[in-house]
Amino acid sequence: MKLTVIGGGSTYTPELVSGIADRHAGLDIEEIALVDPDMERLEVVGGFARRLLDHAGHPAKLRLTSDLEAGVDGAAAVLLQLRVGGQAARATDETVPLECGCVGQETTGAGGLAKALRTVPVVLDVADRVRQIAGEKAWIVDFTNPVGIVTRALLNAGHRAVGLCNVAITFQRWVAGQLGVAPDTVALEHVGLNHLTWVRAVRVDGVDVLPRLLADHADQLAEHVGLPAALMRRLGAVPSYYLKYYYRHDEIVAEERVRSPRAEDVAALEHDLLDLYRDPSLVAKPALLEQRGGAYYSEAAVQLVASLLTGRGDVQVVNTRNGSTLPFLPADAVVEVPARITGASPAPLPMAPLPPAIAGLIAHVTAYENLALEAALYGGRDRVFDALMAHPLIGQIEQATTLADRLVAVNRHFLPWAAK
């Protein structure tokens, strides 16, 4: 079978290719197509990817192309890992909100809205072309942030799509390391929206060990997610590290105002990684790649694609339609929960009722995401304002007014409706 990666010039890509190369039995891939408009960068990343496959003795053919149609032709699954505007646009996402006293982050808050405005139209155009060329049966796996909003856009447009994030698998592997058990014995009751999730149970061979984790590993948990252990005990759950932007908003804003944007650090890191990838003697992932983020991305992606294409029916945490999983949300909302992965579509597992402290925030952010998607699809400064007013981290007239104007202005060349 053929697997295509849109945004194949990403420095993440060797992580994915390494995961494929190390898992011969999991997925019978005969061809990997890396698609990217920047051929110079793609040749660097692709050259290293070829060496990874060759070193592992994997027989897959690797194809590098800037031609989307050629790249997706015959693909059984297409992975989307796009960053519209690159690190420069990310830098504005991280800094513009700070001017209004709001958190600056690439997926959360005003920065996440700006990214959705740029990204959703591009992803939908790509997906339409994928469906025309690869056919209705090809799976689209979205790793492009903001994953929840982008996945909802894809599903609303009728695409065979599922969203993927590495937060759950990262926490699963962290727990396994703390307890000294095999990762595949650890199952999480992970619930919420993309980048807004809580772990309400951690089962090892069917036994919930979360109370033990909260009692014996409180300090390590607090460091891992950036939140106090007392809060986790009060909630009876472990929030993802993205919840620090909600639970410690003002403190995070103060920290962000005195340090360089993450985008600058990542740009420098990518420069160094590309230099390493150019070395013809490099045949294994460099340690520096771990600092890029996206831990265990390759494992999550390979597991998901394998299950989608073989219908093996295992349980993985994905972004998919809510249905009746969280009854206080619309059925067409996209949630991030454990789901049984079959060849038809992910089927979310039943969830125990959520307490108001968690359900209320999920419902609030879901309403924002709906308005953010409308702004991304139909444009208009007023729709941007409406989404900002609905976001729990903004929601004030002065901030929403200023941010709506600023986000439209700095992203004008990405938004056709804003240039008119």
Side-chain angles (χ1 to χ4, degrees):
M1 63 184 66
K2 177 179 177 179
L3 176 67
T4 299
V5 182
I6 309 295
S10 168
T11 53
Y12 274 131
T13 299
E15 177 79 34
L16 175 64
V17 172
S18 177
I20 294 170
D22 293 342
R23 291 166 180 78
H24 289 246
L27 198 58
D28 184 18
I29 295 179
E30 299 168 306
E31 181 179 352
I32 303 170
L34 305 183
V35 182
D36 201 287
D38 187 342
M39 282 303 298
E40 181 178 355
R41 178 171 171 134
L42 186 59
E43 289 289 351
V44 174
V45 173
F48 178 43
R50 278 196 181 97
R51 296 195 299 275
L52 289 172
L53 290 170
D54 291 345
H55 185 69
H58 196 286
K61 173 186 175 183
L62 188 69
R63 179 175 186 175
L64 312 180
T65 181
S66 60
D67 185 332
L68 179 64
E69 282 72 18
V72 303
D73 188 23
V78 177
L79 274 65
L80 303 181
Q81 53 177 41
L82 307 175
R83 183 177 292 279
V84 180
Q87 296 301 329
R90 175 179 180 170
T92 66
D93 296 344
E94 294 175 338
T95 55
V96 168
L98 295 177
E99 300 169 7
C100 297
C102 298
V103 70
Q105 212 277 330
E106 65 162 335
T107 60
T108 299
L113 174 58
K115 188 168 191 182
L117 295 175
R118 296 191 305 269
T119 304
V120 167
V122 174
V123 165
L124 289 179
D125 178 64
V126 168
D128 285 344
R129 294 159 71 188
V130 167
R131 184 160 55 187
Q132 292 168 6
I133 302 300
E136 298 282 346
K137 293 184 178 181
W139 277 102
I140 296 177
V141 177
D142 179 59
F143 197 68
T144 296
N145 282 318
V147 167
I149 296 173
V150 172
T151 301
R152 188 169 183 178
L154 287 165
L155 291 172
N156 286 359
H159 295 291
R160 200 179 192 203
V162 59
L164 177 65
C165 181
N166 68 321
V167 167
I169 193 171
T170 298
F171 188 71
Q172 179 207 41
R173 298 310 166 92
W174 183 87
V175 168
Q178 293 292 313
L179 300 180
V181 300
D184 61 4
T185 66
V186 179
L188 306 179
E189 186 179 314
H190 172 110
V191 60
L193 311 177
N194 180 241
H195 290 182
L196 192 86
T197 53
W198 294 258
V199 173
R200 302 182 68 207
V202 178
R203 295 185 178 87
V204 177
D205 292 328
V207 177
D208 185 8
V209 299
L210 182 56
R212 173 183 158 194
L213 281 170
L214 291 173
D216 299 343
H217 299 270
D219 291 342
Q220 297 95 318
L221 271 172
E223 182 179 358
H224 182 71
V225 301
L227 291 166
L231 174 65
M232 290 184 265
R233 294 193 187 99
R234 178 68 180 161
L235 292 171
V238 180
S240 81
Y241 48 81
Y242 285 94
L243 265 297
K244 68 184 180 183
Y245 297 116
Y246 294 82
Y247 294 152
R248 295 175 50 219
H249 177 271
D250 292 355
E251 184 181 353
I252 295 296
V253 167
E255 293 173 359
E256 289 180 340
R257 281 176 159 166
V258 296
R259 66 186 179 204
S260 62
R262 170 69 175 161
E264 292 183 7
D265 299 334
V266 171
L269 183 61
E270 288 189 334
H271 179 273
D272 293 342
L273 282 170
L274 290 171
D275 278 347
L276 290 173
Y277 294 171
R278 289 185 181 94
D279 181 357
S281 67
L282 185 69
V283 294
K285 291 185 300 181
L288 187 64
L289 184 54
E290 297 177 6
Q291 299 179 29
R292 177 62 183 83
Y296 304 110
Y297 160 47
S298 64
E299 294 184 44
V302 172
Q303 287 176 13
L304 178 55
V305 170
S307 295
L308 290 170
L309 297 183
T310 63
R312 60 190 181 190
D314 59 336
V315 174
Q316 298 178 38
V317 174
V318 296
N319 286 261
T320 191
R321 287 289 196 206
N322 174 52
S324 60
T325 309
L326 301 182
F328 55 89
L329 295 184
D332 65 351
V334 166
V335 293
E336 185 171 295
V337 294
R340 194 163 300 284
I341 311 299
T342 69
S345 65
L349 301 187
M351 284 285 146
L354 298 178
I358 293 176
L361 186 52
I362 291 174
H364 196 160
V365 176
T366 298
Y368 149 75
E369 289 191 345
N370 184 54
L371 292 170
L373 181 54
E374 288 187 5
L377 289 173
Y378 307 117
R381 182 263 181 204
D382 287 348
R383 289 191 178 94
V384 175
F385 173 83
D386 290 345
L388 291 165
M389 281 294 290
H391 200 293
L393 297 183
I394 303 155
Q396 298 181 68
I397 297 171
E398 183 178 352
Q399 283 90 334
T401 298
T402 302
L403 281 170
D405 293 336
R406 291 284 287 123
L407 295 184
V408 171
V410 298
N411 290 284
R412 187 173 300 276
H413 53 294
F414 295 108
L415 311 174
W417 54 267
K420 295 178 181 179

